[in-house]
Amino acid sequence: MAQLRLHPDRALPAGDEVRAVARRIYRRTRELPLLCMHGHVDAAVLADDERFADPAQLLVVPDHYVTRMLVSQGVTLDQLGVPRLDGTVAETDPRAIWRLFCAHWHLFRGTPSRYWLEHEIAEVLKLDLAPGPDTADELYDLIDARLSEPGLRPRTLLDTFNIELMATTDSATSPLHDHARLREAGLGERVVPTFRPDALTQVGHPGWTRQVEQLQELTGED
Protein backbone atom coordinates (compact mmCIF):
# COMPACT_ATOMS: atom_id res chain seq x y z
CA MET A 1 0.00 0.00 0.00
CA ALA A 2 1.32 3.45 -0.93
CA GLN A 3 1.95 5.55 2.17
CA LEU A 4 1.13 9.25 2.08
CA ARG A 5 4.02 11.21 3.60
CA LEU A 6 4.14 14.98 3.15
CA HIS A 7 7.38 16.93 3.34
CA PRO A 8 7.17 19.79 5.86
CA ASP A 9 8.80 22.18 3.35
CA ARG A 10 6.57 21.21 0.42
CA ALA A 11 5.13 24.72 -0.02
CA LEU A 12 8.40 26.60 0.46
CA PRO A 13 10.94 27.87 -2.12
CA ALA A 14 13.56 25.46 -3.43
CA GLY A 15 16.67 27.62 -2.88
CA ASP A 16 18.43 26.91 0.43
CA GLU A 17 18.86 30.53 1.52
CA VAL A 18 15.37 31.63 0.60
CA ARG A 19 13.91 28.45 2.09
CA ALA A 20 15.62 29.17 5.40
CA VAL A 21 13.96 32.59 5.51
CA ALA A 22 10.62 31.08 4.53
CA ARG A 23 10.88 28.56 7.35
CA ARG A 24 11.40 31.34 9.89
CA ILE A 25 8.46 33.35 8.56
CA TYR A 26 6.26 30.26 8.54
CA ARG A 27 7.13 29.35 12.13
CA ARG A 28 6.26 32.88 13.25
CA THR A 29 2.92 33.04 11.39
CA ARG A 30 1.51 29.50 11.25
CA GLU A 31 -0.48 29.84 14.49
CA LEU A 32 -2.06 33.19 13.62
CA PRO A 33 -5.84 33.26 13.00
CA LEU A 34 -7.08 33.11 9.41
CA LEU A 35 -9.10 35.78 7.62
CA CYS A 36 -10.73 33.98 4.69
CA MET A 37 -12.05 36.71 2.43
CA HIS A 38 -13.07 34.57 -0.58
CA GLY A 39 -14.14 31.34 1.02
CA HIS A 40 -16.31 29.63 -1.61
CA VAL A 41 -18.04 27.94 1.31
CA ASP A 42 -21.79 27.43 1.05
CA ALA A 43 -23.29 29.19 4.06
CA ALA A 44 -25.87 26.39 4.30
CA VAL A 45 -23.08 23.94 5.17
CA LEU A 46 -22.24 25.96 8.28
CA ALA A 47 -25.85 26.78 9.08
CA ASP A 48 -26.89 23.10 8.94
CA ASP A 49 -23.69 21.89 10.64
CA GLU A 50 -24.35 18.32 9.53
CA ARG A 51 -21.97 15.46 8.80
CA PHE A 52 -20.35 15.63 5.39
CA ALA A 53 -22.07 13.11 3.14
CA ASP A 54 -19.31 10.78 1.90
CA PRO A 55 -15.79 10.96 0.41
CA ALA A 56 -17.01 11.30 -3.18
CA GLN A 57 -19.51 14.07 -2.46
CA LEU A 58 -16.95 15.89 -0.32
CA LEU A 59 -13.76 15.64 -2.38
CA VAL A 60 -14.70 14.75 -5.97
CA VAL A 61 -18.17 15.69 -7.24
CA PRO A 62 -18.23 19.39 -6.26
CA ASP A 63 -14.58 20.13 -7.14
CA HIS A 64 -14.55 21.37 -10.74
CA TYR A 65 -10.73 21.27 -10.82
CA VAL A 66 -10.83 17.54 -10.05
CA THR A 67 -13.68 16.74 -12.42
CA ARG A 68 -12.23 18.80 -15.29
CA MET A 69 -8.94 16.91 -15.08
CA LEU A 70 -10.76 13.58 -15.22
CA VAL A 71 -13.03 14.69 -18.08
CA SER A 72 -9.97 15.86 -20.04
CA GLN A 73 -8.75 12.25 -19.95
CA GLY A 74 -11.99 10.63 -21.13
CA VAL A 75 -14.04 10.23 -17.97
CA THR A 76 -17.58 11.61 -18.32
CA LEU A 77 -19.39 13.92 -15.94
CA ASP A 78 -22.15 11.32 -15.74
CA GLN A 79 -19.65 8.77 -14.44
CA LEU A 80 -18.54 11.27 -11.80
CA GLY A 81 -22.05 11.90 -10.50
CA VAL A 82 -22.09 15.56 -11.54
CA PRO A 83 -25.73 16.70 -11.85
CA ARG A 84 -27.01 17.47 -15.35
CA LEU A 85 -28.67 20.77 -16.22
CA ASP A 86 -32.09 19.29 -15.42
CA GLY A 87 -30.87 18.18 -11.98
CA THR A 88 -30.76 14.45 -12.71
CA VAL A 89 -27.71 12.40 -11.73
CA ALA A 90 -26.55 9.37 -13.73
CA GLU A 91 -24.10 7.82 -11.23
CA THR A 92 -25.44 7.78 -7.69
CA ASP A 93 -23.05 5.26 -6.10
CA PRO A 94 -20.42 7.32 -4.20
CA ARG A 95 -18.09 4.36 -3.89
CA ALA A 96 -18.08 3.86 -7.68
CA ILE A 97 -17.24 7.55 -8.14
CA TRP A 98 -14.45 7.31 -5.58
CA ARG A 99 -12.97 4.21 -7.21
CA LEU A 100 -12.93 6.00 -10.57
CA PHE A 101 -11.18 8.99 -9.03
CA CYS A 102 -8.57 6.81 -7.31
CA ALA A 103 -7.95 4.85 -10.52
CA HIS A 104 -6.92 8.13 -12.17
CA TRP A 105 -4.93 9.53 -9.23
CA HIS A 106 -1.73 9.51 -11.32
CA LEU A 107 -3.19 12.25 -13.53
CA PHE A 108 -2.93 14.76 -10.70
CA ARG A 109 0.84 14.46 -10.28
CA GLY A 110 2.33 17.95 -10.03
CA THR A 111 -1.01 19.77 -9.86
CA PRO A 112 -2.43 22.10 -7.19
CA SER A 113 -5.37 19.70 -6.88
CA ARG A 114 -3.07 16.91 -5.74
CA TYR A 115 -1.38 19.27 -3.27
CA TRP A 116 -4.75 20.20 -1.74
CA LEU A 117 -6.09 16.63 -1.69
CA GLU A 118 -2.95 15.22 -0.09
CA HIS A 119 -3.08 17.95 2.55
CA GLU A 120 -6.75 17.20 3.27
CA ILE A 121 -6.14 13.48 3.58
CA ALA A 122 -2.93 13.68 5.64
CA GLU A 123 -3.32 16.87 7.69
CA VAL A 124 -7.07 17.26 8.14
CA LEU A 125 -8.28 13.65 8.08
CA LYS A 126 -5.05 12.35 9.70
CA LEU A 127 -4.70 9.41 7.31
CA ASP A 128 -1.49 8.15 5.68
CA LEU A 129 -2.92 6.00 2.88
CA ALA A 130 -2.41 7.42 -0.62
CA PRO A 131 -5.22 7.20 -3.21
CA GLY A 132 -4.82 4.58 -5.91
CA PRO A 133 -6.70 1.75 -7.62
CA ASP A 134 -5.56 -0.72 -4.93
CA THR A 135 -6.40 1.51 -1.97
CA ALA A 136 -9.70 3.02 -3.11
CA ASP A 137 -12.06 0.96 -0.97
CA GLU A 138 -9.91 1.01 2.17
CA LEU A 139 -9.35 4.76 1.89
CA TYR A 140 -13.06 5.35 1.26
CA ASP A 141 -13.94 3.47 4.46
CA LEU A 142 -11.29 5.29 6.50
CA ILE A 143 -12.43 8.73 5.31
CA ASP A 144 -16.10 7.82 5.78
CA ALA A 145 -15.39 6.80 9.37
CA ARG A 146 -13.50 10.03 10.03
CA LEU A 147 -16.41 12.08 8.70
CA SER A 148 -18.61 10.62 11.45
CA GLU A 149 -16.38 12.08 14.17
CA PRO A 150 -17.61 15.25 15.94
CA GLY A 151 -14.33 17.01 15.19
CA LEU A 152 -15.09 16.96 11.47
CA ARG A 153 -18.38 18.86 11.69
CA PRO A 154 -18.36 22.13 9.70
CA ARG A 155 -18.62 24.56 12.63
CA THR A 156 -16.00 22.68 14.62
CA LEU A 157 -13.61 23.08 11.70
CA LEU A 158 -13.88 26.86 12.07
CA ASP A 159 -12.08 26.44 15.39
CA THR A 160 -9.78 23.66 14.19
CA PHE A 161 -8.47 25.89 11.39
CA ASN A 162 -8.43 28.94 13.69
CA ILE A 163 -10.67 30.90 11.32
CA GLU A 164 -11.39 34.32 12.77
CA LEU A 165 -13.46 35.48 9.79
CA MET A 166 -15.04 33.52 6.93
CA ALA A 167 -16.46 35.47 3.99
CA THR A 168 -18.64 33.14 1.95
CA THR A 169 -18.98 33.71 -1.80
CA ASP A 170 -22.63 34.40 -2.55
CA SER A 171 -24.49 35.17 -5.74
CA ALA A 172 -25.76 38.72 -6.12
CA THR A 173 -29.34 37.47 -5.91
CA SER A 174 -28.93 35.28 -2.82
CA PRO A 175 -31.63 36.07 -0.22
CA LEU A 176 -29.04 35.18 2.49
CA HIS A 177 -31.46 33.03 4.51
CA ASP A 178 -28.60 30.80 5.66
CA HIS A 179 -26.66 33.81 6.91
CA ALA A 180 -29.71 34.80 8.93
CA ARG A 181 -29.61 31.35 10.54
CA LEU A 182 -25.90 31.77 11.31
CA ARG A 183 -26.58 35.14 12.90
CA GLU A 184 -29.22 33.55 15.11
CA ALA A 185 -26.63 30.92 16.10
CA GLY A 186 -24.20 33.63 17.18
CA LEU A 187 -21.91 33.38 14.16
CA GLY A 188 -23.07 36.50 12.34
CA GLU A 189 -19.82 38.40 12.92
CA ARG A 190 -17.61 35.41 12.15
CA VAL A 191 -19.27 34.21 8.93
CA VAL A 192 -20.25 37.04 6.60
CA PRO A 193 -21.65 37.17 3.05
CA THR A 194 -19.84 38.49 -0.01
CA PHE A 195 -21.70 40.21 -2.84
CA ARG A 196 -20.52 38.46 -6.02
CA PRO A 197 -21.94 40.22 -9.10
CA ASP A 198 -20.37 37.97 -11.77
CA ALA A 199 -23.66 36.75 -13.23
CA LEU A 200 -25.03 40.28 -13.44
CA THR A 201 -22.24 41.30 -15.82
CA GLN A 202 -23.19 38.65 -18.42
CA VAL A 203 -25.68 40.80 -20.28
CA GLY A 204 -25.95 38.34 -23.15
CA HIS A 205 -27.14 35.47 -20.94
CA PRO A 206 -30.81 34.52 -21.47
CA GLY A 207 -31.54 34.84 -17.75
CA TRP A 208 -29.78 38.17 -17.25
CA THR A 209 -32.92 40.31 -17.20
CA ARG A 210 -34.58 38.07 -14.63
CA GLN A 211 -31.50 38.17 -12.39
CA VAL A 212 -31.48 41.96 -12.46
CA GLU A 213 -35.20 41.93 -11.57
CA GLN A 214 -34.47 39.58 -8.65
CA LEU A 215 -31.76 41.92 -7.40
CA GLN A 216 -34.18 44.84 -7.58
CA GLU A 217 -36.77 42.88 -5.61
CA LEU A 218 -34.26 41.86 -2.93
CA THR A 219 -32.76 45.32 -2.46
CA GLY A 220 -35.75 47.56 -3.13
CA GLU A 221 -33.59 49.50 -5.60
CA ASP A 222 -34.20 50.35 -9.26
Side-chain angles (χ1 to χ4, degrees):
M1 294 297 184
Q3 296 296 303
L4 188 58
R5 303 187 188 283
L6 305 186
H7 195 285
D9 292 340
R10 61 191 180 279
L12 304 185
D16 291 340
E17 292 185 7
V18 178
R19 176 170 287 195
V21 175
R23 283 175 180 152
R24 292 201 302 272
I25 295 173
Y26 182 61
R27 282 196 298 269
R28 294 285 297 273
T29 61
R30 64 177 297 171
E31 302 300 330
L32 294 177
L34 298 179
L35 303 178
C36 305
M37 306 310 295
H38 187 54
H40 272 290
V41 173
D42 185 350
V45 171
L46 292 166
D48 295 338
D49 198 34
E50 296 178 348
R51 178 196 188 276
F52 292 106
D54 58 67
Q57 289 297 328
L58 177 62
L59 299 174
V60 180
V61 178
D63 191 330
H64 63 89
Y65 292 106
V66 171
T67 56
R68 280 190 296 180
M69 170 62 83
L70 296 174
V71 168
S72 76
Q73 300 302 308
V75 180
T76 68
L77 291 175
D78 276 346
Q79 290 176 293
L80 294 169
V82 177
R84 299 168 178 169
L85 289 176
D86 62 4
T88 60
V89 178
E91 179 58 78
T92 58
D93 181 355
R95 191 177 289 272
I97 296 168
W98 183 256
R99 286 171 179 161
L100 188 60
F101 161 70
C102 288
H104 292 82
W105 177 243
H106 62 282
L107 298 176
F108 295 94
R109 189 174 300 146
T111 65
S113 294
R114 178 154 175 164
Y115 180 94
W116 301 332
L117 288 161
E118 287 182 336
H119 179 87
E120 289 162 350
I121 293 170
E123 300 290 342
V124 180
L125 297 169
K126 307 299 182 186
L127 300 172
D128 62 0
L129 188 62
D134 298 329
T135 62
D137 283 334
E138 182 180 357
L139 185 57
Y140 182 99
D141 292 335
L142 290 170
I143 294 176
D144 201 48
R146 280 280 194 270
L147 296 179
S148 296
E149 298 176 2
L152 268 295
R153 296 283 285 271
R155 292 188 193 177
T156 304
L157 290 175
L158 287 175
D159 295 325
T160 301
F161 298 142
N162 196 17
I163 295 176
E164 182 175 303
L165 179 70
M166 166 69 73
T168 61
T169 306
D170 307 275
S171 70
T173 55
S174 171
L176 304 180
H177 296 318
D178 295 313
H179 278 281
R181 294 164 58 202
L182 288 169
R183 186 171 62 247
E184 292 172 0
L187 291 170
E189 295 185 1
R190 191 175 185 186
V191 183
V192 298
T194 303
F195 181 81
R196 189 180 191 186
D198 299 39
L200 296 180
T201 65
Q202 300 173 18
V203 296
H205 191 278
W208 179 75
T209 302
R210 179 54 192 151
Q211 290 214 51
V212 173
E213 290 173 349
Q214 287 179 315
L215 182 62
Q216 292 183 147
E217 293 167 3
L218 287 167
T219 61
E221 297 288 343
D222 185 349

